[in-house]
């Protein structure tokens, strides 16, 4: 998630927005039966789905997770499901704004019980559903898809469903003006794009929509030519037959649901390559200003700069997708950026690329620790700005420090923020200043050793502050409890050296 423009709305508007955000969050996340409830019985009787061998498909073991219930947004996601692989076949009809989907989800049950549930968008209707090939009862309750079937702890299952409808974004608890709703978005020209933080992937597929549950993905996307469907991962194939363009993408490193992306539109692919040999693709609308593509050409330079500090880029491919939005998102291997001068600027490209080390390969297991993503990406952005004419890094930090206290007062401490102010500046600037203070305290050598070492030691994993902070103390040999408490949990900006 890119840093927010400093305070885009006035204080009076913010107060009113807080009440609205709290109300719509309760409305979109509730699981009350009867609110948008739909149900179905199986076409043939079944006592349960037939379980599969938990040792089967060992290639999926890389996606084994320990799903959690979120401390701030507990009504989204379900820790009873450990998603391992999503196979999504999606067809977009811009004439009717209809998304038609077939989904095959391989998952591990983390509990033994008579049912399980996923998050799934209200405008979409399930047409058929089977578990290990057998029809089972299910209900759509608000945003929850509840499947009635006996599941056994640590057993793996294959859930297949077909669905269709017109997806729509859902409100999220934020004061930011650039993403008041998240999920599947349809433009005025009937093109589509998705961004979903802290949740919203459930607006276009059935998912355990929580960052603690990473999974592998395959996408097959179809749309009338010359439009094309674009998603995360490696482009495996593209065909244009009978007036339809079909693309397949494979994401073979586990990703959290908020880091997935899909878009349908009149996009043109331009290929590039990093200095280290990573293939890069830019997907830009054919009608876009040529300057947009020119701006994105900074990507190889930005990747080389980050690799020098953080080590090799952690994935096989990288790309940038430019869409009709005012925001940006570090969607894994394919960053999604709005088509504004700011969101396609070098510093935003650098920021979102930095997230592939901090946020993508190592992902928080709870939204309370989103500062772990944003603080380091923001500090690296500050270093980039300093290296490219913004003054010294000390001067950049001094400039941010002038308003950090205001951000902290507005939305709370970075690691104890107001849950109705998700994504505010407090999770960006305060942690960035904290990292600079730690760098000054322990020196460049030790500082950059731990900055590089954390994603290397935890690749493709999840972690929280209870993992991160003790690790930092162990690696630096410093007792840092008071330091971190002051910066992450304090009501005011700590004194700076």
């Amino acid at each position: 998630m890119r840093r927010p423009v400093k305070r885009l709305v006035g204080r009076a508007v913010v107060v009113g927005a807080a009440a609205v955000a709290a109300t719509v969050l309760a409305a979109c996340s509730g699981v009350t039966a009867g609110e948008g409830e739909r149900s179905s019985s199986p076409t043939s009787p079944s006592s349960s789905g037939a379980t599969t061998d938990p040792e089967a498909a060992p290639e999926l073991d890389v996606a084994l997770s320990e799903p959690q219930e979120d401390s701030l947004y507990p009504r989204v996601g379900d820790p009873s499901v450990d998603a391992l692989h999503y196979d999504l076949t999606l067809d977009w009809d811009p004439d009717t704004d209809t998304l038609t989907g077939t989904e095959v989800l391989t998952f591990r049950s983390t509990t033994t019980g008579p049912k399980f549930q996923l998050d799934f968008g209200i405008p979409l209707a399930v047409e058929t559903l089977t578990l290990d090939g057998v029809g089972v009862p299910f209900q759509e309750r608000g945003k929850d898809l509840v499947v009635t079937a006996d599941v056994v702890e640590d057993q793996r299952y294959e859930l297949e469903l077909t669905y269709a409808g017109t997806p729509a974004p859902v409100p999220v608890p934020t004061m930011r003006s650039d993403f008041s709703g998240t999920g599947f978005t349809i433009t005025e020209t009937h093109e589509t794009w998705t961004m979903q933080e802290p949740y919203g992937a459930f607006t276009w597929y059935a998912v355990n929509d929580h960052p603690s549950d990473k999974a592998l993905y395959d996408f097959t996307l179809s749309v009338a030519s010359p439009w094309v469907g674009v998603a995360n991962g490696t482009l495996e194939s593209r065909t244009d037959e009978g007036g339809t363009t079909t693309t397949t993408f494979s994401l073979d490193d586990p990703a959290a649901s908020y880091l997935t992306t899909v878009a349908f539109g009149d996009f043109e692919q331009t290929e590039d390559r990093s200095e280290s040999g990573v293939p890069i693709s830019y997907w830009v609308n054919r009608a876009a200003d040529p300057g947009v593509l020119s701006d994105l050409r900074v990507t190889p330079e930005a990747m080389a700069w980050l690799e020098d500090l953080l080590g090799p880029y952690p994935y096989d491919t990288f790309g940038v997708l430019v869409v009709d939005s005012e925001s940006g998102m570090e969607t894994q291997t394919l960053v999604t950026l709005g088509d504004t001068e700011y969101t396609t600027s070098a510093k935003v490209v650098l920021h979102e690329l930095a997230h592939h080390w901090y946020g993508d390969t190592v992902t928080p297991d709870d939204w309370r620790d989103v500062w772990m993503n944003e603080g380091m990406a923001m500090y690296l952005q500050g270093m980039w700005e300093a290296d490219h004419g913004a003054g010294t890094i000390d001067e950049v930090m001094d400039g941010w420090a002038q308003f950090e206290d205001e951000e902290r007062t507005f939305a709370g401490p970075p690691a104890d923020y107001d849950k109705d102010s998700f994504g505010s500046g407090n999770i960006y600037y305060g942690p960035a200043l904290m990292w600079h203070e730690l760098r000054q305290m322990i020196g460049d050598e030790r500082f950059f050793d731990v900055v590089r070492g954390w994603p290397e030691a935890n690749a493709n994993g999840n972690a929280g502050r209870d993992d991160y902070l003790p690790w930092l103390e162990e690696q630096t040999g410093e007792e840092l409890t008071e330091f971190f408490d002051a910066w992450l949990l304090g009501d005011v900006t700590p004194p700076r050296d």
Side-chain angles (χ1 to χ4, degrees), residues 38-55:
R38 295 189 290 266
S39 63
S40 176
S41 297
T43 54
S44 59
S46 173
S47 60
S48 69
T51 63
T52 57
D53 183 347
E55 300 302 321

Side-chain angles (χ1 to χ4, degrees), residues 57-67 81-86 105-108 110 156 208 210-217 251-256 459-462:
E59 67 274 11
L60 302 184
D61 288 357
V62 68
L64 288 168
S65 305
E66 297 181 8
V81 171
D82 175 15
L84 302 177
H85 179 259
Y86 294 92
L105 166 62
T106 304
F107 71 96
R108 177 181 68 92
T110 67
R156 298 185 185 187
N208 190 22
H210 191 264
S212 64
D213 188 6
K214 290 185 171 183
L216 306 177
Y217 285 82
L251 188 59
D252 56 6
D253 289 290
N460 290 329
N462 292 86

Side-chain angles (χ1 to χ4, degrees), residues 173-459:
T174 185
M175 302 300 169
R176 288 176 56 163
S177 63
D178 60 337
F179 69 107
S180 57
T182 65
F184 197 97
T185 300
I186 303 170
T187 73
E188 292 182 355
T189 58
H190 305 281
E191 295 180 312
T192 78
W193 53 269
T194 66
M195 296 186 201
Q196 54 253 338
E197 189 180 24
Y199 48 76
F202 65 79
T203 61
W204 52 284
Y205 66 106
V207 57
N208 190 22
D209 205 357
H210 191 264
S212 64
D213 188 6
K214 290 185 171 183
L216 306 177
Y217 285 82
D218 282 292
F219 302 89
T220 301
L221 310 175
S222 297
V223 67
S225 304
W227 285 17
V228 63
V230 185
N232 310 76
T234 300
L235 175 60
E236 302 288 356
S237 68
R238 175 172 178 168
T239 61
D240 294 271
E241 297 178 355
T244 298
T245 299
T246 300
T247 49
T248 62
F249 292 82
S250 180
L251 188 59
D252 56 6
D253 289 290
S257 56
Y258 81 97
L259 296 170
T260 58
T261 190
V262 69
F264 293 94
D266 192 15
F267 300 113
E268 184 173 20
Q269 180 190 19
T270 302
E271 296 181 327
D272 203 348
R273 186 168 292 270
S274 75
E275 294 178 14
S276 58
V278 177
I280 298 170
S281 291
Y282 310 116
W283 295 89
V284 180
N285 196 288
R286 295 178 196 276
D289 188 306
V292 172
L293 179 59
S294 178
D295 289 344
L296 301 182
R297 293 286 191 176
V298 73
T299 301
E301 178 189 354
M303 185 176 289
W305 188 91
L306 286 167
E307 287 185 318
D308 187 55
L309 290 173
L310 303 176
Y313 172 72
Y315 302 105
D316 293 334
T317 62
F318 182 72
V320 181
L321 168 67
V322 180
V323 300
D324 183 16
S325 170
E326 296 180 356
S327 191
M329 187 67 210
E330 63 270 21
T331 39
Q332 191 164 309
T333 73
L334 184 65
V335 163
T336 309
L337 298 179
D339 57 356
T340 72
E341 182 178 359
Y342 175 74
T343 50
T344 57
S345 66
K347 62 186 177 183
V348 174
V349 171
L350 183 285
H351 183 107
E352 306 302 355
L353 181 50
H355 274 307
H356 283 70
W357 286 265
Y358 280 83
D360 291 13
T361 191
V362 186
T363 306
D365 55 21
D366 190 288
W367 281 118
R368 69 172 189 162
D369 291 325
V370 65
W371 65 269
M372 291 170 53
N373 300 358
E374 301 302 345
M376 184 57 71
M378 196 69 208
Y379 185 58
L380 291 165
Q381 177 186 322
M383 290 179 59
W384 166 273
E385 292 183 32
D387 281 357
H388 291 77
T392 67
I393 185 61
D394 289 330
E395 290 170 340
V396 172
M397 294 299 108
D398 288 344
W400 290 356
Q402 292 179 22
F403 54 80
E404 197 279 330
D405 217 33
E406 176 188 344
E407 298 288 352
R408 190 178 293 254
T409 299
F410 169 69
D416 189 25
Y417 60 89
D418 177 359
K419 66 180 182 179
D420 293 327
S421 297
F422 180 84
S424 293
N426 60 329
I427 63 172
Y428 294 79
Y429 297 107
L433 292 171
M434 178 188 75
W435 292 128
H436 191 59
E437 293 299 303
L438 182 63
R439 178 183 175 183
Q440 292 178 312
M441 181 190 307
I442 66 175
D444 278 8
E445 183 176 355
R446 282 198 294 169
F447 178 75
F448 287 109
D449 278 349
V450 296
V451 169
R452 183 177 181 134
W454 176 250
E456 288 179 348
N458 298 277

